[in-house]
Amino acid sequence: MANELSDLVLYNPFTAASLSLPPVTGFASCIEGVYGDEGNVVGYRYGCYESDSVYDVWSLGGFFYDKVVLSGSPSAGPAIALSMHMDGKRLSFARVGDSSWRQVSVIRRSLDSYADCVYHCGRFYAVTMEGKLKSWGLGGPEDRPRKKTIIAEGDDYFFELITRYLVSTPWGHLLQICVVLDKYQEHYVRVDVERLDLKSSQMVGVSPAKALRGHVVFLGQNSLGILSVDKFPEVRPNCIYFTTPRLRGDAFEHHHNQWIGVKVYDLSSRKLEDAFLSGGGHYGTICPSEVWFTPSL
């Protein structure tokens, strides 16, 4: 969560326990603090742009961050956070307890941006809207992130793409879930699932009926979850539950504005349906409000 100063806080809504991540001014290459006479923060400006605009201290928390994923639970040991921010143009790392963020990737002067990120098998992975895939491992000399470019060229989805997600599965696969604008579908949406083949550094198609192996996936702006329906029979197998994606382009909104709230996509029938009634209105496609919570069991 972002607090009243737009600083990120790890918050457990069930126990009210919290841990602070580095402040928003810790993104030193992006954000500059504006200070009052008494030395307190009264606003922020983007240090990477030549602009005199000053934002209220609380406002950046609503739009500066796109997503944050963790290497693990902070209660289990030192955790590392990866932040995707500035409309998906930048990635930064920080350890819980650090005073600043370490920027590791910038997309400049391009229509591309990062769509999603995930922690998988000891490394962070991030995919762009064009389909380029990179990964980072930590723990090298001076704890510098070790970057690998896995897929350097984009794919054919870009002009019909709504968004992409990365899913780390319990059986060790890294899946890419592409949400595509398809005028031949009832709700103008088709979902394709692919698997990363590390040997060929390519995404390969996966049969929709076998992609999730009887599991169910929960996707959205916060960290995802993947559950076995054997342990959670209330959810539907081989389905993907989506909260409203943050739409950076107007393609989907222009054609159809039905993705508001929480949807469920059945990979077998290839149909998108309402998971349950939800509010938000048209504003909900710009600033989604629903998130997933996964309590420890």
Side-chain angles (χ1 to χ4, degrees):
M1 297 183 68
N3 64 16
E4 67 278 4
L5 295 177
S6 296
D7 299 335
L8 288 177
V9 176
L10 301 177
Y11 177 69
N12 186 325
F14 302 98
T15 66
S18 64
L19 286 171
S20 296
L21 288 171
V24 68
T25 52
F27 294 95
S29 61
C30 305
I31 302 298
E32 294 178 351
V34 178
Y35 299 89
D37 294 337
E38 297 180 359
N40 57 312
V41 177
V42 296
Y44 304 110
R45 65 165 57 93
Y46 281 116
C48 48
Y49 297 139
E50 293 182 2
S51 173
D52 293 328
S53 299
V54 176
Y55 295 89
D56 294 331
V57 291
W58 53 267
S59 63
L60 261 63
F63 64 85
F64 177 73
Y65 307 106
D66 293 298
K67 192 167 191 174
V68 176
V69 296
L70 298 175
S71 61
S73 171
S75 62
I80 302 169
L82 170 63
S83 170
M84 188 170 75
H85 48 281
M86 285 194 69
D87 285 332
K89 292 294 187 181
R90 302 192 180 210
L91 295 176
S92 298
F93 286 97
R95 293 185 181 275
V96 176
D98 284 352
S99 59
S100 62
W101 293 87
R102 184 185 312 175
Q103 182 173 284
V104 293
S105 183
V106 181
I107 298 177
R108 302 183 190 275
R109 299 178 183 177
S110 169
L111 294 176
D112 203 8
S113 61
Y114 285 105
D116 197 22
C117 51
V118 72
Y119 187 74
H120 172 72
C121 295
R123 297 183 69 87
F124 287 96
Y125 289 78
V127 65
T128 73
M129 293 291 284
E130 291 183 353
K132 300 171 185 177
L133 183 68
K134 299 178 181 180
S135 76
W136 290 264
L138 298 182
E142 300 181 7
D143 202 25
R144 292 179 179 175
R146 304 183 309 280
K147 173 185 169 183
K148 289 183 180 178
T149 298
I150 300 172
I151 299 177
E153 299 295 329
D155 55 33
D156 297 330
Y157 277 117
F158 186 70
F159 291 106
E160 59 182 0
L161 185 80
I162 297 172
T163 192
R164 300 177 192 263
Y165 295 97
L166 295 175
V167 177
S168 177
T169 69
W171 52 92
H173 287 173
L174 180 66
L175 301 181
Q176 176 179 246
I177 295 178
C178 295
V179 185
V180 182
L181 189 67
D182 187 341
K183 64 181 180 180
Y184 298 106
Q185 299 298 320
E186 181 179 357
H187 290 286
Y188 286 71
V189 169
R190 186 183 81 245
V191 175
D192 295 336
V193 183
E194 299 176 328
R195 174 182 62 84
L196 174 63
D197 180 16
L198 282 173
K199 290 183 179 180
S200 63
S201 295
Q202 292 181 336
M203 288 290 179
V204 295
V206 182
S207 166
K210 299 178 180 179
L212 301 184
R213 302 190 180 186
H215 288 65
V216 59
V217 172
F218 296 86
L219 298 178
Q221 270 194 268
N222 64 328
S223 297
L224 57 88
I226 181 167
L227 301 175
S228 169
V229 294
D230 294 334
K231 296 181 180 179
F232 299 91
E234 297 87 354
V235 294
R236 295 164 55 181
N238 297 313
C239 286
I240 302 172
Y241 288 74
F242 294 94
T243 60
T244 310
R246 181 177 178 183
L247 303 176
R248 298 201 181 97
D250 64 354
F252 183 69
E253 289 185 287
H254 176 71
H255 286 276
H256 222 245
N257 187 28
Q258 290 197 12
W259 198 327
I260 296 170
V262 181
K263 303 290 187 183
V264 56
Y265 188 89
D266 190 316
L267 285 172
S268 300
S269 65
R270 300 183 79 82
K271 288 185 178 181
L272 183 73
E273 306 169 13
D274 287 322
F276 47 80
L277 294 177
S278 180
H282 180 76
Y283 185 73
T285 64
I286 303 170
C287 295
S289 58
E290 294 86 1
V291 294
W292 298 114
F293 290 107
T294 308
S296 300
L297 300 175

